[in-house]
Amino acid sequence: MATATATTPQTDGLSVGEHTLPASWWTSPEIYEVEKRAIFFKSWMFIVHESRLTKPGDYLSYTIAGLNFFVIKNKAGQVNAFHNVCRHRAYPVVKKEQGSALVLGCRYHGWSYNTDGNLTKAPHFDNVQGFDKAQNGLYPIRTHTTDQGLVFLSFDATEEGPMPFDEWFKGLQTEMHEYDFSDYEYHMSYELDGQFNWKTLMDGYQECYHCPTAHPGLSKAFKMPTYKVVPKDRWCRHYAQIIKPDELPTKKPAAAPATQESSGWFGFGNKPEAAAPAPADDKVTNRGGSFDGLWMYLFPTNGINCYSPAWYSIRVVPITPTRTILQYDIYKKKGIEQAEIDDFVEFLQQVEIEDFDLCEATQKNLNTGVYSTGFLHPEKERGVLFYQNMVRDLVVSHLEKEEKAGQQINVAKIGSASTEGQKLEGICKSLQCTSEAAKSEVLAW
């Protein structure tokens, strides 16, 4: 008997699409914990532009994937990063979101550190045998500052460290030279607290297939048919042509106010006087600025989006499998009129709240377990395929390494300084192995 062979039709030369990752990856606590070890603790992540730290001692504190840390400018003008953990008894050294101090004093037992993380004071420890100040500085975090002043960090605390920045984001610094970051200054920050997985936001960020439907304001500023996402090395460049001034519509004449005799929403009563016609050259201003823009996705959770009036960054901060905080920093063009930057911020925030609402509604359905996977368009959702495949590969690869090692591998973990501590840590690990055995089937796909 002949066997029918199924064929997949293709149109316009497009390759066959792929499915999304399983919906369980957007809700599972176990997957989230592996993502931290496999992705967040190994990646280079954008934090801030160095211009926000104007003088030695200026600092900003953050939390990403459960790790508390801060960045601080030292006396030499370099930006350092440290875990926000006192080396004495683990109390936070910095308690504010931002501040300035050349000496950072822990409010628990008074241990103090300088801007290079060195321990400068440990009350009553001067004569304690075996205690070495030099070995008790703050836990450092590796940083990289680009020639445009963009500060990145990696939590990888292993001796060999993370992949070099210029290999991780190959070609990124060169691409960024299209934009003059020095011509912009810090304007404002804000954040949104969302009830959704971090990938729910990245799914929307990595395509504009939804833009004509969900972003009417953005669609009036840029030509949506020209929008494309081009994957690079762990980052993507987004492209779209801006609608030029001579392509913008003429402003509609403003309606004249109704007379006192008019009544109701429909203006029943005397007809209002006709409004004066608008001048022929009275064009609508493009709220997106005057050039095509420089929009970058930086794996796993950063976006840097540059327009002519301003540029802004987004840090997508995972809190739990179904909660994510979105942090935005906006940098305005120096000398820009207040009305223009206010209009741009309103334009930006409208787009972002539209995405936020999409994410919250989507996550509610993901949580139900009804949806499993979806089919992605090979061109329109190319960026989604790119980043989801990276997530998949890194998680699977990391779990294979952990299985071979017989234990979890956490490159952000800083080992015990004492022999006795390492021995006791071994007891905890042996107990963990017993409790984790029951979970092994969950992660064996």
Side-chain angles (χ1 to χ4, degrees):
M1 186 172 77
T3 303
T5 303
T7 59
T8 303
Q10 297 187 28
T11 59
D12 300 328
L14 293 179
S15 60
V16 177
E18 298 180 42
H19 281 80
T20 64
L21 293 172
S24 58
W25 283 46
W26 277 252
T27 60
S28 165
E30 290 80 13
I31 288 292
Y32 173 61
E33 289 301 317
V34 178
E35 287 175 338
K36 289 198 289 187
R37 302 194 301 273
I39 299 173
F40 299 116
F41 298 164
K42 290 183 173 182
S43 301
W44 284 102
M45 291 181 286
F46 173 73
I47 302 301
V48 71
H49 192 272
E50 64 178 355
S51 62
R52 285 203 63 188
L53 306 170
T54 58
K55 63 181 184 300
D58 285 358
Y59 67 81
L60 296 161
S61 64
Y62 303 92
T63 299
I64 292 179
L67 298 183
N68 303 315
F69 66 96
F70 64 93
V71 294
I72 187 169
K73 177 170 281 192
N74 68 8
K75 291 183 178 180
Q78 299 170 324
V79 178
N80 293 325
F82 302 99
H83 287 281
N84 193 11
V85 178
C86 180
R87 287 296 303 277
H88 180 219
R89 296 267 293 280
Y91 192 75
V93 175
V94 165
K95 297 300 294 280
K96 298 189 296 183
E97 291 185 0
Q98 65 181 69
S100 188
L102 293 174
V103 177
L104 302 169
C106 176
R107 297 293 183 178
Y108 197 169
H109 297 96
W111 283 34
S112 299
Y113 307 86
N114 63 20
T115 56
D116 289 312
N118 300 320
L119 180 65
T120 58
K121 185 178 73 171
H124 310 297
F125 269 80
D126 292 341
N127 298 319
V128 175
Q129 189 174 2
F131 179 74
D132 184 0
K133 275 187 179 181
Q135 299 301 315
N136 283 274
L138 294 173
Y139 291 125
I141 301 172
R142 288 182 171 94
T143 62
H144 178 88
T145 303
T146 70
D147 55 8
Q148 298 96 343
L150 304 170
V151 180
F152 293 76
L153 62 75
S154 171
F155 292 118
D156 188 337
T158 60
E159 186 175 348
E160 61 271 20
M163 180 185 295
F165 178 85
D166 286 324
E167 291 183 32
W168 181 268
F169 287 132
K170 187 176 180 180
L172 176 65
Q173 290 198 79
T174 300
E175 198 100 355
M176 288 293 192
H177 288 154
E178 292 183 21
Y179 196 75
D180 185 4
F181 288 88
S182 67
D183 199 27
Y184 293 77
E185 60 187 0
Y186 176 69
H187 178 56
M188 63 174 287
S189 299
Y190 74 100
E191 66 179 41
L192 299 172
D193 193 336
Q195 300 303 307
F196 48 80
N197 185 273
W198 67 275
K199 295 187 294 297
T200 310
L201 188 285
M202 300 326 305
D203 284 345
Y205 186 92
Q206 274 291 82
E207 50 90 355
C208 217
Y209 181 36
H210 70 285
C211 292
T213 305
H215 297 311
L218 190 65
S219 298
K220 292 177 181 177
F222 294 90
K223 300 175 181 177
M224 288 299 108
T226 70
Y227 201 105
K228 63 179 180 178
V229 179
V230 179
K232 307 281 188 173
D233 285 85
R234 298 179 186 84
W235 58 281
C236 292
R237 173 78 185 263
H238 292 225
Y239 296 87
Q241 293 178 14
I242 197 166
I243 298 176
K244 298 177 181 179
D246 58 357
E247 299 172 316
L248 292 169
T250 302
K251 288 183 180 178
K252 294 180 179 180
T259 64
Q260 288 187 352
E261 287 78 6
S262 297
S263 62
W265 291 344
F266 296 100
F268 293 125
N270 291 349
K271 291 180 65 177
E273 294 181 7
D281 60 348
D282 191 6
K283 294 286 187 179
V284 175
T285 302
N286 191 326
R287 305 178 78 190
S290 59
F291 66 84
D292 290 347
L294 179 72
W295 308 323
M296 305 293 195
Y297 162 69
L298 312 177
F299 183 85
T301 57
N302 289 128
I304 295 179
N305 304 302
C306 306
Y307 300 78
S308 53
W311 71 274
Y312 76 95
S313 65
I314 176 173
R315 290 181 300 275
V316 179
V317 181
I319 305 298
T320 72
T322 55
R323 182 185 171 213
T324 301
I325 293 178
L326 312 179
Q327 298 177 333
Y328 301 88
D329 293 338
I330 303 174
Y331 300 78
K332 65 181 180 180
K333 188 174 182 64
K334 295 175 182 177
I336 191 172
E337 295 291 336
Q338 187 64 44
E340 185 178 356
I341 188 60
D342 287 347
D343 186 61
F344 176 81
V345 170
E346 182 183 357
F347 164 75
L348 159 66
Q349 292 183 327
Q350 180 60 41
V351 174
E352 298 302 335
I353 200 64
E354 289 164 353
D355 277 333
F356 181 87
D357 291 342
L358 291 172
C359 290
E360 293 224 312
T362 298
Q363 187 69 42
K364 287 179 181 178
N365 277 340
L366 291 171
N367 293 343
T368 66
V370 173
Y371 175 91
S372 177
T373 62
F375 210 84
L376 294 171
H377 192 281
E379 183 181 86
K380 297 293 185 181
E381 294 168 301
R382 185 183 181 189
V384 181
L385 286 167
F386 170 76
Y387 106 88
Q388 284 196 15
N389 286 344
M390 285 194 64
V391 171
R392 176 200 64 201
D393 293 346
L394 288 171
V395 166
V396 171
S397 173
H398 190 82
L399 282 173
E400 289 174 349
K401 292 177 182 177
E402 290 188 337
E403 183 178 2
K404 186 176 181 179
Q407 63 180 10
Q408 290 184 358
I409 300 173
N410 182 351
V411 298
K413 185 176 178 60
I414 300 173
S416 173
S418 69
T419 303
E420 179 68 13
Q422 292 174 359
K423 182 179 179 180
L424 296 174
E425 184 75 21
I427 295 175
C428 183
K429 286 182 178 179
S430 67
L431 295 173
Q432 259 187 336
C433 288
T434 303
S435 63
E436 290 295 323
K439 301 179 182 178
S440 60
E441 291 186 3
V442 177
L443 297 176
W445 49 83

